Amino acid sequence: MSEADCLFCRIVAKEIPAEIVYETDRALAFRDVNPQAPTHVLVIPKDHYRDAAALAAADHGLADEVIKAAHAVAQQEGVAETGYRLVFNTGPAAGQTVFHVHGHVVGGRDLRWPPG
């Protein structure tokens, strides 16, 4: 399931280059082109779901797989022990700009609260 005009679907299809750092049968992780921390990787399902709510409702187990992939990325990037943030922006008011669900794995520096 993909959308022809979706940036992330095109990355999954290898039509647009990305620095892929982790991949499973159903998930893909690649570096953010505008990183906000030393580690900033996006983790997506390969199938197209608009946002986290759509992902949670649509496919039993896929949201879990995406979160497990995010943790694997954090381990691979060396931030799992010291701490990392996993963020899913859902909807325009939350800052979602690409409407293919994606989790941001952010770490490698002190992350303040509240964010934004």
Side-chain angles (χ1 to χ4, degrees):
M1 184 166 69
S2 68
E3 301 227 350
D5 61 341
C6 172
L7 173 66
F8 292 170
C9 288
R10 295 184 66 204
I11 288 172
V12 169
K14 309 291 194 261
E15 296 172 3
I16 294 176
E19 187 179 344
I20 296 170
V21 298
Y22 187 84
E23 185 169 7
T24 68
D25 289 342
R26 301 195 309 160
L28 185 71
F30 51 92
R31 297 208 186 278
D32 193 298
V33 297
N34 185 25
Q36 301 301 305
T39 296
H40 191 165
V41 175
L42 303 179
V43 183
I44 66 170
K46 289 182 176 179
D47 285 342
H48 184 88
Y49 295 94
R50 178 178 172 82
D51 56 29
L55 175 63
D59 189 336
H60 179 71
L62 184 56
D64 179 59
E65 188 171 334
V66 170
I67 291 171
K68 286 179 179 177
H71 180 64
V73 166
Q75 289 177 309
Q76 178 179 299
E77 296 288 313
V79 297
E81 292 298 318
T82 57
Y84 63 95
R85 186 169 288 158
L86 180 57
V87 178
F88 288 84
N89 297 322
T90 301
Q96 185 178 6
T97 58
V98 176
F99 290 90
H100 180 127
V101 63
H102 54 286
H104 298 255
V105 179
V106 183
R109 68 170 173 81
D110 189 26
L111 301 170
R112 303 288 178 198
W113 195 261

